[in-house]
Amino acid sequence: DESMSVRVGLGITQSVATNRNFVIQDKQNDPNVQVEDKQIIETSGYGISAGVEMRRGSGRIQGYYGAEVFFTRTQNDVIYEYGNAMTLDNQAPNSTDWGPNITPIAGLDEQERQLYSYDGTRLGFGLNALLGVEYFIGPKISLGGEFKIGPNYTVENDGLNGYETWSDDGREIIETKTQDNSMKVRGINTNASG
């Protein structure tokens, strides 16, 4: 016997990780007086899918096959907070260097200090063919495995980086795009689960 059913999926991801480091407070002489720098990494996303599946079998072992469409959206951001402020008499404040966030300005006692890095929003679309099997160990209780494969298409919009620096006009915020045009990726999606 063969039966058809509708399948719907929803997935949500949300995480925040904070890296902390203490540095000496500027404009004083006690090395034990410190302020805190933070690097905050935020990741968020969700995915939805909808499809149909056809089932075969009526005993403990049942197989199924079908197809589904899906949509995903993801975003990654990094935010920096510094304990020592950038001021007229402190244009290169003591700060934690987590990698790309501190850029000294050659020949000057100044620096560019990153405030945020917003990755472009990623939107994904695709279609999956699926094949699976379930073994029922009791009424409505089963163990199973599923394999999916299909084409996908991803678009990533422009990201944004923000820096602070000191100029003749005072503290200045500089924003730059991470890419000039949207990135488009085509590929084949595979997924196995059990």
Side-chain angles (χ1 to χ4, degrees):
D1 293 341
E2 190 171 65
S3 62
M4 185 180 76
S5 59
V6 175
R7 50 189 286 148
V8 177
L10 172 65
I12 298 174
T13 299
Q14 184 74 43
S15 68
V16 178
T18 302
N19 297 316
R20 304 171 188 270
N21 189 56
F22 289 90
V23 298
I24 297 174
Q25 182 176 334
D26 289 339
K27 303 303 178 182
Q28 56 85 41
N29 297 318
D30 186 352
N32 293 316
V33 178
Q34 298 182 329
V35 292
E36 185 181 45
D37 291 344
K38 296 179 183 179
Q39 180 193 49
I40 304 167
I41 303 169
E42 300 178 350
T43 301
S44 62
Y46 66 85
I48 56 175
S49 64
V52 295
E53 66 180 38
M54 303 295 294
R55 288 185 168 266
R56 292 184 66 87
S58 58
R60 287 184 177 271
I61 299 178
Q62 294 185 15
Y64 62 91
Y65 61 93
E68 66 180 7
V69 294
F70 65 87
F71 169 79
T72 60
R73 181 191 185 279
T74 57
Q75 176 80 38
N76 298 307
D77 299 326
V78 182
I79 299 168
Y80 298 93
E81 297 178 0
Y82 302 100
N84 286 310
M86 185 174 288
T87 62
L88 174 62
D89 60 347
N90 191 19
Q91 298 176 24
N94 187 25
S95 308
T96 303
D97 188 352
W98 275 289
N101 61 304
I102 304 296
T103 305
I105 298 177
L108 299 173
D109 189 22
E110 300 174 9
Q111 64 183 212
E112 281 187 356
R113 193 163 68 166
Q114 191 165 23
L115 299 176
Y116 50 83
S117 174
Y118 301 144
D119 283 358
T121 302
R122 246 180 214 208
L123 304 176
F125 312 85
L127 172 68
N128 282 328
L130 57 97
L131 182 67
V133 63
E134 284 184 308
Y135 176 75
F136 285 84
I137 57 178
K140 299 183 180 181
I141 301 174
S142 68
L143 300 173
E146 182 176 283
F147 176 76
K148 300 178 185 179
I149 186 169
N152 65 73
Y153 184 76
T154 302
V155 177
E156 182 173 358
N157 298 317
D158 293 342
L160 190 66
N161 288 326
Y163 300 86
E164 66 175 343
T165 189
W166 199 267
S167 69
D168 293 338
D169 297 323
R171 180 175 175 267
E172 183 179 358
I173 305 297
I174 301 170
E175 290 189 334
T176 60
K177 288 185 177 181
T178 56
Q179 56 193 54
D180 293 328
N181 298 301
S182 293
M183 181 184 75
K184 299 176 177 64
V185 178
R186 298 174 183 86
I188 298 293
N189 177 58
T190 60
N191 181 40
S193 61

